[in-house]
Amino acid sequence: MKSRFYRPLSIACISPAYFPDICLFVKNNGNYILYKNHDRKFTEADRHRLERTNTEFLYVRSGDMDVVTEYLEQNLDTLLARTDIDSGAKGTILYQTAANYVTDVFDEPDKTADIIRCRSLIRHLMKYVAGHEDALKALQSITSQNYYIFTHSVQMAALMMLVHDRLFEISHDEMIDVGIGSLLHDVGLVFLSGDLLNKPDALAAIEYHKVKQHARKGYEHLKSAGTLGEVSLTIVRHHHEKFDGSGYPSGLKGDDIPRSAQLAALCDTYCAMTTERPKHNALPKSEALRIMGEEVGSTFSPELFKRFEAIVTGRAETA
Ligand SMILES: [Fe+2]
Ligand SMILES: [Fe+2]
């Protein structure tokens, strides 16, 4: 299936000196047109030309994603340390690397066992979220209709770490676990049907209608991989529990729902509503919070919702 599909790659991620020799494409009226062949180097002149036409993404054959992901992960330190790249572009690079990781895991779920990659990504993401005022905004502005589920996972991980950081004194290791669990929270979707990944609309609809098995299936898969911490597993397993006990998979109620899972439900819903999805426009922050507010007491804990709202509206620095 791989070679038939194209994946977006932000131009910010292409560092001419190290970028692998692969073909790059531009998208025009739904068609992918060759921009450069594998034997021609991408140059700074290419970047300027594309910037002038406001082209943010080029496309890569999905069969080439392995080398792109390897390139990004190996050069992430260097790319994020560069002083000639602004904070927004660094967010894009980080987002793209993390989204590639999630894509990879959806393609080959066995890769979740390779937790070292994920841990290193989450560390970078954490540093970025902590060090950049507008990190969330930068990460949320990156939307890619066809790749909703991957974008969503990265945004959710960033928001979860921010919220945990503001609300609780948790250890560095626990924070990493929060990030990993959030990045992988919907991984169970991959087990619902082999064709789902080729149908981005279906994926989004499934997420929206909360197909119930993905939480349990994701949890069972990751648990059997044996490399994830308890907090990560809890987030994956219980992110669809509801405060009144009507959620799934366990129908846990009130504060029997682990704290990280209650926050996962808040961040998951908020990220989904405020992001452009196939067939759903992104809602403004205030409107998303208003709708979520109607579910306080049924879906969400009143106390946690209040604190969550204060953080995303910027009314609370610390709780
Ligand atoms: Fe989910
Ligand atoms: Fe989700």
Side-chain angles (χ1 to χ4, degrees), residues 152 185-186 207 239-240 268:
H152 169 68
H185 74 281
D186 277 332
E207 169 72 352
H239 70 277
H240 286 292
D268 189 22

Side-chain angles (χ1 to χ4, degrees), residues 235-254:
I235 291 171
V236 176
R237 186 182 196 177
H238 294 301
H239 70 277
H240 286 292
E241 303 287 354
K242 292 187 176 186
F243 197 68
D244 63 4
S246 66
Y248 62 84
S250 308
L252 298 179
K253 203 170 176 175

